[in-house]
Amino acid sequence: MGVKSFRSADWFGKSSKDGFIHRSWMRNQGLPDDVFDGRPVIGICNTWSELTPCNAHLRDLAERIKRGVWEAGGLPLEFPVMSIGESNLRPTAMLFRNLVSMDVEESIRGNPIDGVVLMTGCDKTTPALVMGAASCDLPALVMPGGPMLNGKFRGHDLGSGTDVWRFHDDLRSGKIPLEIFQEAESCMSRSIGHCNTMGTASTMAAMAESLGLTLPMGSSIPAADSRRWALAQVAGRTIVEMVFADRKLSRILTRNAFKNAVRTNAALGGSTNAVIHLIAIARRIGTPLTLDDWDSMGREVKTIVNLQPSGKFLMEDYYYAGGLPAVLRALGEQDLLEKDALTVNGKTIWENCSEAQNWDTDIIRSFDHPLAHSGGIAVLRGNLAPNGAVLKPSAASAHLMRHRGRAVVFENIEHYHGRIDQPDLDVDASSVLVLKHCGPKGYPGMAEVGNMALPRKLLQQGISDMVRISDARMSGTAYGTVVLHVSPEAAVGGPLALVRDGDFIELDVEQRRLHLDLSEQALEQRRNEWNPAELPFYGGYQGLYVQHVLQAHEGADLDFLVGRRGLEVSRESH
Ligand code: FES
């Protein structure tokens, strides 16, 4: 060790004025002479913030990573990037995913960093950090913060998000009083960590693990479990070894790695948000991955993980049952895993999971007794979504998978809020709720409003699901027969913009079809009459975003951020 020259030597290894400046200022942190002996410098990219409750424990976890880095002979240097928490940040954390990725990319490239640990947790923090690091293409390891323990309420378990939607519907329909709704609040979130359902945070951590970017079990151990601290220490040792082996992201993020992630998502009944994020990550590193790949690669994979929102249990139960390694092993035994895919610890994914145990076959089921036969993501096409739309079959209702209904149209989210509970709204259980102008540009950030709450009068009749269609996203903790990410979106003149109240819409998930029952001639006439809704003026970052954001099927990245730019710095500073 120490013979190999790393990138950081260009800062700390010189005897010139530059070397003096780089070392001298670092010494104010009490660093001894020998840390500048050419050892690898490990950046610890931290999304800690008290405004991101899911990541509020990451400073403690970073200390464990540092222990491992020191042990392995590296120099750990922690740095913050913007933290985007789903529960507080307005209008939606997704608006800032690309901004954070820029923060990460430039922080890595501009600093003396040889390898990086990406500390993630809440939903968008995982894709944002991986996207930024992918554009740099250096050795990088993801260390997720882990999920919260099960919520506990009046003798029952409570799942983050999923039970909020359920309680809210019960409150609106009069099934429960406000006191119960309020009492559940503290019971649901009772430990450190991110959402404890298979929502977007758990899904994206699992995507990172199945891509080979975390150590085994990295996505499953609860945040409050001491085994996560131990894993963080090992992660610190591993990243140093990765730098010596030059095991950089482009060696890990191969087409086979993405195949594994897409199939894993199907087996988990994971979040639809993963579709957008993985496409964006793939485009950063330069590995081909399209929306249609999501359908073709994942179609034959059944959902075997019985976790909310598709199933019953929560992340804590899932860890005790065997966690992701048990799922990966099950995929491998069905020949649904690209076994040779490389992972951060230098082993193949199969070497990491082939001995994994499944301790509870009700939580992690077998492929012979799955939770849902049609797992994966259904990619729908038709005259309503020429560039595709997605639906999660495992979270949808079987009786609505083939459906024809009359559209009830909301021009935007404000129109929806003003209209949905009007007593005279012409709607019944067979109607199709259509929400426009919530795509990447129409509602900058593409808000998670696609799982629109049903009209109160239908809830009171006991209706619990309807077909809903929009260009929005949906929370990974949500459920229902919800068609999302319609592309092109209404704001850029996609056919969704042309739908009117009373039109008939056909959904056929088996045939992957989404059709507006209008002749091409009638559609053309509406297209000619269509006037784009005036978008508000957005200044600052939001203005940049609206100008440059790509459509959902392209990963909703900013057009100028797509691609791998490496680590070359254009100029030295002094
Ligand atoms: Fe942060 Fe759900 S709100 S993971």
Side-chain angles (χ1 to χ4, degrees), residues 169-247:
D169 281 351
D170 287 352
L171 182 72
R172 293 177 72 237
S173 65
K175 271 196 212 158
I176 58 166
L178 185 62
E179 300 80 72
I180 290 198
F181 185 66
Q182 289 175 337
E183 189 187 326
E185 205 173 283
S186 58
C187 307
M188 196 181 75
S189 310
R190 62 185 190 91
S191 85
I192 55 172
H194 60 66
C195 286
N196 57 22
T197 43
M198 188 48 76
T200 305
S202 301
T203 300
M204 288 313 299
M207 293 298 89
E209 185 170 342
S210 54
L211 284 166
L213 297 178
T214 77
L215 291 173
M217 211 53 107
S219 61
S220 313
I221 308 172
D225 194 305
S226 56
R227 286 166 283 190
R228 180 161 293 281
W229 288 11
L231 194 78
Q233 189 162 338
V234 178
R237 295 177 197 156
T238 306
I239 185 68
V240 175
E241 189 262 316
M242 287 176 74
V243 172
F244 277 101
D246 198 24
R247 196 175 303 130

Side-chain angles (χ1 to χ4, degrees), residues 52-55 85-87 121-123 148 160 193-195 200-202 477:
T52 305
C54 307
N55 297 23
E86 205 63 38
S87 61
C122 199
D123 298 13
M148 287 189 264
S160 319
H194 60 66
C195 286
T200 305
S202 301
T477 60

Side-chain angles (χ1 to χ4, degrees), residues 358-526:
N358 181 353
W359 304 106
D360 191 328
T361 52
D362 191 20
I363 299 172
I364 301 173
R365 301 209 177 162
S366 69
F367 281 99
D368 292 335
H369 298 99
L371 183 74
H373 282 272
S374 48
I377 299 289
V379 175
L380 309 165
R381 285 184 192 272
N383 65 354
L384 197 45
N387 291 335
V390 304
L391 176 139
K392 180 172 157 183
S394 64
S397 300
H399 73 281
L400 292 172
M401 300 291 258
R402 190 156 177 236
H403 182 79
R404 184 171 190 271
R406 226 164 17 99
V408 177
V409 177
F410 307 99
E411 291 301 323
N412 52 43
I413 194 67
E414 290 77 21
H415 188 217
Y416 162 80
H417 285 306
R419 199 175 175 220
I420 189 70
D421 284 334
Q422 282 181 359
D424 60 349
L425 182 68
D426 186 11
V427 65
D428 61 35
S430 71
S431 302
V432 173
L433 305 181
V434 175
L435 175 62
K436 304 178 183 177
H437 293 102
C438 290
K441 284 184 197 282
Y443 187 142
M446 209 183 161
E448 292 186 333
V449 293
N451 58 316
M452 305 161 246
L454 307 187
R456 192 193 310 266
K457 63 183 180 187
L458 296 186
L459 287 172
Q460 284 165 343
Q461 291 167 24
I463 307 298
S464 58
D465 194 11
M466 292 169 72
V467 174
R468 288 158 271 179
I469 300 175
S470 73
D471 45 13
R473 294 177 302 112
M474 143 172 122
S475 164
T477 60
Y479 50 88
T481 310
V482 186
V483 177
L484 302 155
H485 311 177
V486 169
S487 179
E489 63 176 309
V492 299
L496 188 70
L498 311 178
V499 185
R500 294 180 185 167
D501 271 342
D503 287 347
F504 274 90
I505 292 178
E506 292 167 28
L507 168 69
D508 188 335
V509 178
E510 181 58 34
Q511 297 299 317
R512 302 299 197 248
R513 184 161 183 266
L514 184 65
H515 182 74
L516 178 62
D517 206 354
L518 275 185
S519 67
E520 188 42 48
Q521 204 179 10
L523 264 177
E524 192 52 39
Q525 191 177 336
R526 287 194 189 176

Side-chain angles (χ1 to χ4, degrees), residues 115-355:
V116 68
V117 178
L118 306 170
M119 298 196 67
T120 62
C122 199
D123 298 13
K124 312 300 178 286
T125 55
T126 306
L129 268 55
V130 176
M131 286 162 69
S135 283
C136 294
D137 192 20
L138 79 169
L141 180 153
V142 175
M143 184 65 222
M148 287 189 264
L149 299 173
N150 289 8
K152 294 283 177 186
F153 177 65
R154 296 187 172 204
H156 296 284
D157 283 352
L158 280 191
S160 319
T162 307
D163 276 310
V164 181
W165 320 133
R166 229 184 288 280
F167 275 127
H168 188 231
D169 281 351
D170 287 352
L171 182 72
R172 293 177 72 237
S173 65
K175 271 196 212 158
I176 58 166
L178 185 62
E179 300 80 72
I180 290 198
F181 185 66
Q182 289 175 337
E183 189 187 326
E185 205 173 283
S186 58
C187 307
M188 196 181 75
S189 310
R190 62 185 190 91
S191 85
I192 55 172
H194 60 66
C195 286
N196 57 22
T197 43
M198 188 48 76
T200 305
S202 301
T203 300
M204 288 313 299
M207 293 298 89
E209 185 170 342
S210 54
L211 284 166
L213 297 178
T214 77
L215 291 173
M217 211 53 107
S219 61
S220 313
I221 308 172
D225 194 305
S226 56
R227 286 166 283 190
R228 180 161 293 281
W229 288 11
L231 194 78
Q233 189 162 338
V234 178
R237 295 177 197 156
T238 306
I239 185 68
V240 175
E241 189 262 316
M242 287 176 74
V243 172
F244 277 101
D246 198 24
R247 196 175 303 130
K248 50 191 185 180
L249 281 172
S250 54
R251 290 178 58 195
I252 296 176
L253 292 175
T254 59
R255 174 98 172 149
N256 278 349
F258 282 100
K259 256 186 210 171
N260 286 341
V262 169
R263 288 171 179 161
T264 300
N265 188 64
L268 297 175
S271 166
T272 46
N273 283 320
V275 178
I276 296 180
H277 298 322
L278 257 63
I279 290 174
I281 293 167
R283 288 165 65 105
R284 289 292 186 106
I285 200 75
T287 301
L289 182 73
T290 64
L291 187 59
D292 291 322
D293 287 333
W294 272 90
D295 202 313
S296 58
M297 292 174 180
R299 193 163 189 161
E300 79 252 52
V301 184
K302 298 166 187 166
T303 298
I304 57 167
V305 174
N306 187 6
L307 253 60
Q308 295 184 30
S310 299
K312 178 176 164 198
F313 296 97
L314 296 169
M315 288 297 288
E316 186 183 346
D317 311 310
Y318 167 68
Y319 172 53
Y320 304 145
L324 191 67
V327 178
L328 293 173
R329 178 178 175 179
L331 282 165
E333 286 171 347
Q334 296 289 310
D335 230 3
L336 291 169
L337 193 73
E338 301 302 325
K339 294 180 175 166
D340 291 338
L342 180 67
T343 73
V344 284
N345 65 5
K347 296 183 180 167
T348 66
I349 197 156
W350 185 244
E351 285 171 325
N352 282 340
C353 73
S354 58
E355 305 284 313

